[in-house]
Amino acid sequence: MEDDAHGVHDYLTDPRNADILISVNGELKKRDEAVVSVFDSGYILGDGVWEGLRVMDGGIAFLPEHLKRLWAGAKTIDMDIGLTKDELTARLVDCLKANGMDDGVHIRLMVTRGIKKTPYQGPRFTITKPTIVIIPEYKTPVPEIVNAGVTLFTVHVRRTGPAEQDQKLNSHSKLNCILACIQADKAGADEALMLDPMGFVATCNSTHFFIVRDGEVWTSPPEYCLGGITRGNIIHVCREAGIPVFEKRFSLFDVYSADEAFITGTFAGVTPVREVDGRSIETIDGPVSQKIREAYKALQARSLTPIA
């Protein structure tokens, strides 16, 4: 199915992925043998937290930041991961070494509350330690998508506030984003642009959104979007490079008339946007976007935790 799909998370087919070993609670399993119980909290309820990690040039990019967010999410849902950060890092490294992987890899690290004695939401019905799954795959973004830029469609599904579900929580419960993704797919777009409850731009369904206006970089305030690792690093490199960057409320008026626009994420880094709701962005992959992308790549290279 992946060859028929489109979007920023599409990747080039790699036959090596057929033979990867997946870590399930520390045991390495072949792809078709890597399973969890139907009583697992993640399967029954989406009760868990996760991280996406990038492996390049013999190291894992921004690993401390990802682990910090994972632990913060686990604490928020009152879940003890059951390992120290060093122990989980060792498990990640062991999995990568077992697969002989050191570059061009994307990892999905998932931690659910564990197996329940019966299907029910109460954590007290959990009878095992958390389930920890590590899926490493060779993934290279499709060059045509990155080079041509992506299209966005503004959906009716809104990002919720902390009173409903705090968007800072990188949980397995992603139905809000899935519904947005479905609407964007039906509209023929690559990604959904989501608004906050007041109608200001919030974020995309699986990436963060930035615009460039008169040399300034704008992104939404943090209240209605995930605390993205890449998002934060883009803000950081802008400040280092002397590019004015603002976390501020802005509307679709500002988007449609933007000079440049791009989305960010762990998988593809910085990807230009060519169209939003049928309105062409003035410059695809303009000079500000290019400068930011190169600065981000340099920061990413400096952030690597070696696979040793």
Side-chain angles (χ1 to χ4, degrees):
M1 292 295 292
E2 66 190 41
D3 293 330
D4 297 326
H6 68 290
V8 71
H9 285 91
D10 281 0
Y11 59 94
L12 297 177
T13 300
D14 194 315
R16 293 176 294 179
N17 287 329
D19 299 317
I20 60 171
L21 295 173
I22 295 170
S23 176
V24 181
N25 290 327
E27 295 186 22
L28 296 171
K29 304 284 188 178
K30 293 181 180 179
R31 192 180 189 106
D32 59 353
E33 297 173 355
V35 297
V36 297
S37 169
V38 295
F39 287 94
D40 188 83
S41 299
Y43 177 75
I44 294 174
L45 297 161
D47 184 6
V49 290
W50 63 277
E51 291 291 323
L53 303 163
R54 200 75 176 132
V55 178
M56 54 182 287
D57 298 329
I60 304 173
F62 305 112
L63 181 60
E65 292 88 342
H66 281 284
L67 293 181
K68 181 178 180 180
R69 186 172 67 181
L70 184 73
W71 254 258
K75 188 170 185 180
T76 299
I77 65 172
D78 198 28
M79 180 180 72
D80 181 359
I81 291 176
L83 298 175
T84 66
K85 291 178 182 177
D86 287 343
E87 289 170 337
L88 184 53
T89 298
R91 192 173 288 187
L92 284 165
V93 170
D94 288 346
C95 185
L96 290 170
K97 284 185 174 180
N99 284 288
M101 292 172 156
D102 60 10
D103 191 41
V105 174
H106 187 263
I107 298 173
R108 176 61 67 97
L109 167 61
M110 298 171 282
V111 185
T112 72
R113 199 177 298 274
I115 296 173
K116 293 183 173 296
K117 64 181 179 180
T118 191
Y120 179 67
Q121 65 190 38
R124 65 185 181 278
F125 285 84
T126 308
I127 58 176
T128 69
K129 293 181 178 180
T131 301
I132 302 177
V133 175
I134 301 166
I135 303 177
E137 293 181 300
Y138 291 102
K139 285 187 175 180
T140 300
V142 177
E144 291 78 8
I145 294 174
V146 176
N147 294 335
V150 296
T151 61
L152 306 182
F153 179 78
T154 304
V155 299
H156 77 274
V157 183
R158 300 296 177 96
R159 300 292 283 199
T160 60
E164 294 81 26
Q165 180 171 319
D166 197 321
Q167 298 300 315
K168 296 181 182 66
L169 185 60
N170 200 22
S171 73
H172 281 221
S173 304
K174 287 290 181 181
L175 194 55
N176 175 263
C177 295
I178 293 167
L179 289 170
C181 182
I182 290 169
Q183 189 177 356
D185 283 347
K186 297 294 186 182
D190 299 320
E191 184 92 346
L193 185 61
M194 303 177 71
L195 308 179
D196 69 22
M198 295 296 293
F200 294 100
V201 173
T203 185
C204 294
N205 63 277
S206 66
T207 57
H208 285 87
F209 180 67
F210 291 76
I211 62 173
V212 180
R213 295 178 61 89
D214 300 322
E216 296 179 350
V217 175
W218 297 3
T219 193
S220 64
E223 288 83 3
Y224 294 98
C225 65
L226 177 70
I229 306 301
T230 310
R231 175 186 182 275
N233 284 324
I234 295 302
I235 293 171
H236 173 74
V237 298
C238 282
R239 289 171 177 162
E240 274 196 334
I243 300 171
V245 59
F246 301 95
E247 296 177 89
K248 60 182 290 183
R249 278 184 158 178
F250 57 93
S251 71
L252 290 173
F253 174 93
D254 304 301
V255 174
Y256 297 153
S257 56
D259 301 323
E260 305 173 35
F262 58 88
I263 56 175
T264 66
T266 297
F267 173 59
V270 177
T271 303
V273 173
R274 73 172 188 269
E275 182 182 290
V276 181
D277 298 338
R279 281 80 161 178
S280 296
I281 297 300
E282 182 172 330
T283 305
I284 302 171
D285 199 22
V288 177
S289 300
Q290 291 179 24
K291 184 175 182 179
I292 290 170
R293 182 170 58 251
E294 293 308 311
Y296 171 71
K297 287 181 178 178
L299 178 64
Q300 190 179 39
R302 298 195 302 269
S303 77
L304 300 178
T305 296
I307 302 168

